[in-house]
Structures are given as structure tokens and as C-alpha cells.
Amino acid sequence: MTERSPAPGGLALVEALVNTLDIGSGADSLDTAEGRARFGVTRDEAEDARALRESLRVVLLAHAGHPPHREVTPLGELLAGAPLLVAVDRRDGSATLAPADEGPLLSRVAAAVAEALVAGTWSRLKACEAADCLWAYYDRSPAGRGRWCSMQVCGARAKMRRYRAKG
């Protein structure tokens, strides 16, 4: 849905997960074996992945200053089930937060959020304000005030609606 570059670091995983659902068409790539395999999710784990996706979407909407699109389990409650460990590199002493268990999607998402918090990039991952889109995007604008996943599509539609409403 967007011409933007993927989010940096682990946020690319979060962005990709949120964008597994096309709100406009209802197409959900987690419905397919290929789509689930991309995230290491089995058919039995797909519902949990969908719950995580929608909780992430609510947070990304909040990052952009928008209300939730629906009721969801709070992201903090979901991430509480994914313990992180402090990993220290023996060579240079650098430290990172890493999932206690690398396998589960929830653990990988928790580590990505922690990495983004440390890097100061978490709040730049947002959801498009267009109600028929809600696509995740990384806001690279200097002021961090991006509103749409695509200025050429969602932004242009919003501006056209406002223009027509004035007339």
C-alpha cells in the first residue's frame, strides 16, 4: 500500500506483521501457509498472531495521535508473556535486550519493541490515519508528523475529501 522504505531494524518485523491485513479488501496473509511461514507461525498460532497484530495496530494509531480502531488486548499484556534477557557481547561489552526464546513471534516482537525503545525509533512507527487503510509505516519526516502511509494515495484522498466538503 505504500512506497515508503521498510522500518529500520527489528521494527521491520512489526511493520510487516501489522501489514498482513489489507483493511480495504479484508485479505489477510496469515490465512495462507506462505503468509504464516513468513513469521514462523503455524495454523494453530495464527489467531494469537492476529491478536498481536491488532494490539500493535492500536499502539501505532496512538503514535500518530489516533484513537483505537477497535477493542483489543493491550499490547503490554501480550508482551508480558515474552521475557527478555540482557545479552552482553564478550568481544566489545555491548548489551542488548534479547528474547529469552528466539522462536515465538511474540518474543521476537518484544525484542524489536525493546530495541526500538533504546534506539528512540519506536514512536516513529505509526498507522495510517485513513480508516479504510490503517497500514503501518515508518515516519521519516523531519518533524515526525506524518499522517498517511502514502501521501500520493491516502493523503491525496483525505485532502480531496476536505476540499469537496468545503464546496
Side-chain angles (χ1 to χ4, degrees):
M1 181 62 108
T2 180
E3 68 282 348
R4 294 178 184 259
S5 303
L11 285 181
L13 170 67
V14 175
E15 179 181 42
L17 177 61
V18 171
N19 291 343
T20 58
L21 176 65
D22 182 328
I23 299 285
S25 71
D28 185 346
S29 65
L30 294 178
D31 287 341
T32 69
E34 183 181 314
R36 289 187 301 273
R38 184 171 168 218
F39 297 96
V41 174
T42 67
R43 181 180 295 227
D44 292 340
E45 297 167 327
E47 276 311 305
D48 290 340
R50 286 184 185 93
L52 176 59
R53 173 184 68 200
E54 297 312 313
S55 291
L56 285 163
R57 190 183 316 276
V58 165
V59 171
L60 303 188
L61 283 164
H63 285 173
H66 308 300
H69 66 301
R70 65 180 192 160
E71 277 293 314
V72 298
T73 302
L75 183 60
E77 287 181 26
L78 293 177
L79 295 181
L84 299 175
L85 302 172
V86 177
V88 179
D89 188 304
R90 289 179 177 218
R91 294 178 308 254
D92 67 6
S94 62
T96 60
L97 287 173
D101 182 355
E102 288 282 338
L105 178 61
L106 182 63
S107 296
R108 290 181 282 135
V109 167
V113 171
E115 172 193 323
L117 283 169
V118 171
T121 57
W122 175 234
S123 63
R124 290 275 184 154
L125 190 60
K126 300 178 179 182
C128 183
E129 81 173 35
D132 59 347
C133 179
L134 304 180
W135 205 252
Y137 67 94
Y138 188 76
D139 183 359
R140 286 185 166 79
S141 67
R145 293 193 181 141
R147 298 172 62 187
W148 301 285
C149 66
S150 168
M151 190 58 209
Q152 289 73 26
V153 178
C154 293
R157 287 179 191 157
K159 289 181 177 197
M160 186 56 71
R161 278 187 216 110
R162 277 199 306 272
Y163 174 78
R164 288 181 180 154
K166 288 180 184 180

